[in-house]
Amino acid sequence: MKLSGKSARSDALIGRMNLSEKLGQISMLADGLVETGPPGPHNPFNMIVDGRVGSLLNVWGAHLVREAQRKAVEESRLGVPLFFGLDVVHGHKSIHPVPIGEAGSFDRQLWEATARDSAIEAMADGVHMTFAPMIDVARDPRWGRIVETAGEDPLVNAEFGRARVRGYQAPDAQGLMRLAACAKHFCAYGAVLSGRDYAEADISWRALEEIYLPPFRACVDEGVAAIMPAFVDVAGVAMTAHKRLLRDMLRARWRFDGLIVSDYNAIAELINHGVAADLAEAAALALNAGVDIDMMSDAYFNGLPIALARGLVSMDDVDMAVRRVLNFKEQLGLFDDPYRNMAHKTAKSATSKPLAPERRALSRQAAQSSIVLLKNADGFLPLKAPRMLAVLGPLADSPNDQLGPWASAGAGEDAVTFVAGLRETFAQTDVRYAKGAPFEGRDEVDLEAARKTLAGADAIILCIGESRLMSGEAVSRTRPEVPEGQLELARTALESGAPVILAINSGRPLILPDWLVEGAQAILAAWHAGTEAGPALAQILSGACNPSARLAITWPRVTGQAPIFYGIRPTGRPHDPQNGWSTGFSDAPFDPRWSFGQGLSYTRFTRANLRVDRDTLGLDDLVSVSVDVTNAGVCDGVETVFLFSRDPVAQVTRPMLELHDFTKVALRQGETRTVVFVVKARDLCYLDEDRKPRLDDGAMQFHIGASARPADLDRIDVTIAQG
Ligand code: BGC
């Protein structure tokens, strides 16, 4: 969006506004339908009439939105409409899998489709902006917000972000953007120290340039409407006040002309960061760095008048922020129709309706595409006509928990649980259920009930992991493990001798004990897969759906391996289990439990004929890297193919693998297809010590295959020769 330009309507309004009305436009306040930060002292509804607020968050639905909007346009002096924001992160009413799960579908079309559906639902509820996509590259499972990300890889986050922006912002019937996207959190929030939420991110410029900034650049190029700075400081500079990154990089170099919306209370928190003495200084720092909207901290409203008096900010800069907000409202069509697109034409008709069947179908497809099969010993799955199934665990029949954190307006009563899904799918089977253990603590562990339920079962489906409250914002965990009470239940299940299918529900990679991984017959990462998680899992277990998801994030074996990811740099003493003087750990293996990209299918794929169409490349050349993929197994299936590169000799140490592209290929049993990736030599450049892109003559490796695990990759080399 281009928001800084002149507009007759905006300029006329600015001309008529007093200071308080101007500051109102650039203040966003929260109502309390959901709590996403410390409650403020305000009652925002009462402030609308005074022009004291320009946008609201955490309010949706015809009744509330209409009433708030009516006050703004009919009762405030200038009648400027409000806009409404909400965290529509993985669905609005129809909830799709949490992003860390859906990222593992590696399906750009799906990422876009689920965003478009969320936009349709949210828009009908009066929402104009979603605080999504969240594209913080994250590599530490201790960090609770890893659940909201597309995982550890910059390219995956970039592609996920692009698809989400396209989906949310797709035009409606009038050609207007449905839901404005706000990419967050700019930047490096995923690098917080020890995975501790809100902590500092003390990272190098190289990490910023190579890992944390590219997803944001991609969203800006895709036309994202807004950006939210992160709560954190990067190398000592608080992001909410980061002139170099916000003004010089985002605005000037990348030409981003949309809105910059602060995070919740983040401007006032500059005082806690120790970079502002009072609210006036905090407000001045944020405004001067380019932040247009103050979310929830009152710093603009109460601090800017003082900052103006002290000469810390200029009225021109205030006016520019106001202009952007007004132009945004104008471009959304809110001046022409403040109630645009709301499904309910009157406040009274705001009854909740059943979810549209096509939205449910998409949620189910998304869940099926996100549940990762990690182990399937002896081809135990799919289940073959079981007579009796025992379902155990606190996540088996907990509709709210399967929706996961940040579930927007998702309602538990719309969700179909695993128990319900299994009963529907295995209609001829006796499906029994006992919870057996609570999420946390041991008080309600009931192993007797579990033993009774599993007696005589052909298989046990063990649904354990995290409740929705165990991941998300401010839920960092030093031990991202399955809690002890649930492990007792798991031991009981394994001791019974019946085959155990472990369905892990979580918002992060969980640490699993070796005995559980070895003892389970099959293991699936089911994440928090949303409204239709139950039927989706049941259909995977029955074989009606052949799993195709992969991990978008490495799963460690022990917490002490974190942060852990595939794109590490080589050391002078590469890991060698036979050599005590090599990199690694003395008390744990070096390799993860499961690598980025891992995930099984009920069929088997082979690769052959890896080739390039040229073996020498200049800087402006393109090269095609091709491989034939065959479905050599027992049923139809979908394979994901990753293309990595490695620069073995450069001026600086380069990562062991860098992802360049990925694709999915659907193959019938016995079918072969050629997968072709086209790579620009220029994209193989790295930044030298002067931060200039550079490519050295010599060998360049391509690694192509099913995951980042060395055993899953084939290699072919080309020569860079720039003449
Ligand atoms: C979170 C943001 C979110 C905002 C509004 C903050 O606490 O960090 O991601 O968009 O609240 O709910």
Side-chain angles (χ1 to χ4, degrees):
M1 277 180 139
K2 297 267 169 264
L3 297 182
S4 61
K6 295 263 173 206
S7 137
R9 174 150 40 195
S10 302
D11 289 349
L13 276 170
I14 292 172
R16 292 174 61 205
M17 280 177 179
N18 58 37
L19 180 60
S20 156
E21 284 163 335
K22 286 182 182 175
L23 300 180
Q25 283 306 310
I26 54 176
S27 297
M28 180 185 277
L29 296 179
D31 197 43
L33 272 191
V34 279
E35 202 174 90
T36 58
H42 352 71
N43 178 348
F45 268 64
N46 294 341
M47 298 170 153
I48 296 169
V49 177
D50 302 331
R52 160 74 180 79
V53 49
S55 49
L56 290 178
L57 82 148
N58 294 349
V59 50
W60 68 89
H63 179 66
L64 291 171
V65 170
R66 279 196 169 269
E67 186 46 20
Q69 194 66 302
R70 195 194 59 72
K71 275 180 185 286
V73 295
E74 292 178 17
E75 294 181 21
S76 73
R77 189 176 76 93
L78 296 173
V80 179
L82 301 164
F83 80 83
F84 296 83
L86 185 67
D87 296 276
V88 181
V89 174
H90 55 112
H92 180 59
K93 289 187 167 163
S94 312
I95 302 301
H96 310 299
V98 289
I100 188 76
E102 197 182 320
S105 70
F106 288 98
D107 184 340
R108 296 167 176 92
Q109 281 174 358
L110 180 71
W111 297 338
E112 183 175 337
T114 50
R116 195 170 46 244
D117 262 40
S118 324
I120 291 169
E121 286 184 349
M123 177 190 80
D125 250 354
V127 182
H128 306 117
M129 177 185 282
T130 172
F131 307 119
M134 203 269 218
I135 42 170
D136 294 310
V137 173
R139 299 169 163 192
D140 192 331
R142 292 175 295 181
W143 190 44
R145 301 200 78 169
I146 205 166
V147 62
E148 296 169 58
T149 75
E152 75 186 58
D153 184 78
L155 179 83
V156 177
N157 275 281
E159 293 291 289
F160 183 82
R162 276 182 183 276
R164 289 301 215 213
V165 170
R166 286 195 299 272
Y168 291 131
Q169 298 193 168
D172 66 4
Q174 285 82 49
L176 295 169
M177 178 184 286
R178 272 205 192 97
L179 193 58
C182 176
K184 67 188 189 185
H185 306 82
F186 184 82
C187 59
Y189 190 8
V192 285
L193 189 69
S194 318
R196 179 164 46 84
D197 212 355
Y198 316 125
E200 67 256 49
D202 203 1
I203 53 171
S204 64
W205 66 263
R206 182 174 297 284
L208 266 187
E209 294 273 4
E210 293 181 356
I211 300 165
Y212 297 102
L213 288 173
F216 288 94
R217 181 64 201 258
C219 286
V220 168
D221 290 347
E222 199 63 51
V224 71
I227 300 268
M228 182 187 289
F231 278 130
V232 297
D233 78 80
V234 172
V237 184
M239 276 311 308
T240 305
H242 209 306
K243 266 190 168 174
R244 289 197 179 173
L245 286 175
L246 294 175
R247 267 208 196 273
D248 303 349
M249 169 93 77
L250 185 58
R251 288 258 191 247
R253 256 176 66 195
W254 296 1
R255 308 207 174 285
F256 173 71
D257 196 16
L259 286 175
I260 300 184
V261 183
S262 89
D263 205 342
Y264 196 113
N265 200 39
I267 300 182
E269 289 169 16
L270 291 173
I271 300 172
N272 294 343
H273 276 281
V275 295
D278 58 21
L279 217 49
E281 278 188 26
L285 282 173
L287 190 77
N288 290 335
V291 177
D292 300 303
I293 293 186
D294 171 358
M295 182 194 285
M296 270 311 269
S297 73
D298 266 344
Y300 278 2
F301 198 80
N302 292 324
L304 281 182
I306 304 168
L308 280 162
R310 286 189 201 156
L312 298 177
V313 291
S314 73
M315 190 56 93
D316 281 353
D317 282 340
V318 173
D319 285 350
M320 179 52 93
V322 177
R323 175 172 295 115
R324 282 209 171 91
V325 171
L326 295 175
N327 285 352
F328 175 71
K329 293 177 176 180
E330 181 165 60
Q331 289 185 29
L332 281 187
L334 291 174
F335 285 105
D336 301 326
D337 178 5
Y339 309 100
R340 70 169 268 231
N341 289 327
M342 284 186 57
H344 308 293
K345 292 298 169 215
T346 67
K348 285 202 183 104
S349 63
T351 47
S352 68
K353 291 199 183 131
L355 298 183
E358 65 275 17
R359 304 254 139 67
R360 263 192 195 280
L362 183 66
S363 280
R364 185 176 300 196
Q365 184 203 332
Q368 287 174 338
S369 307
S370 306
I371 296 174
V372 192
L373 180 63
L374 292 165
K375 176 178 179 185
N376 190 16
D378 311 320
F380 182 71
L381 294 178
L383 290 166
K384 288 121 200 134
R387 276 176 311 100
M388 207 265 259
L389 290 173
V391 192
L392 301 178
L395 283 141
D397 202 25
S398 185
N400 280 312
D401 289 296
Q402 76 185 44
L403 299 184
W406 295 108
S408 192
E413 59 260 30
D414 286 328
V416 189
T417 68
F418 298 112
V419 172
L422 288 162
R423 289 196 171 131
E424 180 190 301
T425 304
F426 292 89
Q428 310 304 319
T429 305
D430 180 10
V431 177
R432 300 190 185 170
Y433 163 63
K435 184 170 167 190
F439 285 112
E440 291 181 276
R442 300 168 69 174
D443 287 354
E444 295 160 40
V445 173
D446 189 349
L447 300 181
E448 246 344 278
R451 284 194 193 99
K452 272 194 203 138
T453 304
L454 62 77
D458 295 313
I460 300 168
I461 300 163
L462 184 62
C463 299
I464 56 176
E466 295 184 314
S467 71
R468 77 190 291 187
L469 299 177
M470 290 167 73
S471 65
E473 186 174 346
V475 204
S476 295
R477 298 177 64 201
T478 58
R479 292 182 302 140
E481 300 161 8
V482 180
E484 187 49 39
Q486 296 190 57
L487 287 181
E488 278 184 46
L489 180 66
R491 270 189 216 101
T492 305
L494 288 177
E495 279 160 17
S496 75
V500 171
I501 301 162
L502 177 62
I504 309 153
N505 287 230
S506 62
R508 47 156 71 85
L510 280 190
I511 307 300
L512 304 173
D514 291 344
W515 56 263
L516 182 54
V517 175
E518 281 152 24
Q521 189 76 28
I523 303 178
L524 299 108
W527 310 106
H528 295 295
T531 308
E532 289 283 313
L537 180 74
Q539 289 177 2
I540 286 177
L541 298 186
S542 78
C545 168
N546 185 358
S548 61
R550 306 303 188 76
L551 296 177
I553 185 109
T554 303
W555 281 49
R557 291 173 188 273
V558 293
T559 309
Q561 289 181 317
I564 185 167
F565 50 97
Y566 79 82
I568 52 172
R569 293 198 285 258
T571 73
R573 297 185 173 188
H575 177 67
D576 173 0
Q578 311 305 322
N579 175 359
W581 298 100
S582 71
T583 189
F585 302 100
S586 63
D587 61 350
F590 177 72
D591 59 330
R593 174 79 68 202
W594 293 295
S595 294
F596 171 90
Q598 275 190 262
L600 302 168
S601 162
Y602 292 148
T603 188
R604 195 171 57 83
F605 300 100
T606 57
R607 286 182 310 277
N609 229 348
L610 176 57
R611 56 204 185 272
V612 284
D613 67 344
R614 59 194 306 158
D615 45 25
T616 304
L617 287 181
L619 188 61
D620 292 317
D621 290 335
L622 301 174
V623 58
S624 296
V625 188
S626 316
V627 69
D628 300 336
V629 184
T630 300
N631 180 345
V634 293
C635 58
D636 300 348
V638 180
E639 171 71 322
T640 307
V641 186
F642 297 96
L643 173 74
F644 300 94
S645 70
R646 166 140 203 243
D647 188 344
V649 184
Q651 286 190 347
V652 296
T653 301
R654 302 303 302 148
M656 302 289 285
L657 291 174
E658 290 179 84
L659 187 65
H660 270 276
D661 207 347
F662 55 88
T663 192
K664 300 193 78 148
V665 47
L667 293 169
R668 301 210 159 278
Q669 188 187 355
E671 192 184 2
T672 299
R673 283 192 192 204
T674 302
V675 168
V676 184
F677 294 108
V678 178
V679 181
K680 291 185 194 146
R682 208 169 270 284
D683 289 345
L684 299 166
C685 288
Y686 63 93
L687 295 176
D688 67 13
E689 285 176 280
D690 299 321
R691 306 190 186 192
K692 300 249 160 39
R694 179 183 177 90
L695 190 62
D696 304 293
D697 285 356
M700 177 67 69
Q701 305 170 357
F702 290 114
H703 298 255
I704 198 164
S707 87
R709 205 168 55 142
D712 286 337
L713 291 169
D714 304 321
R715 172 179 149 190
I716 192 163
D717 290 9
V718 291
T719 304
I720 305 293
Q722 296 164 85

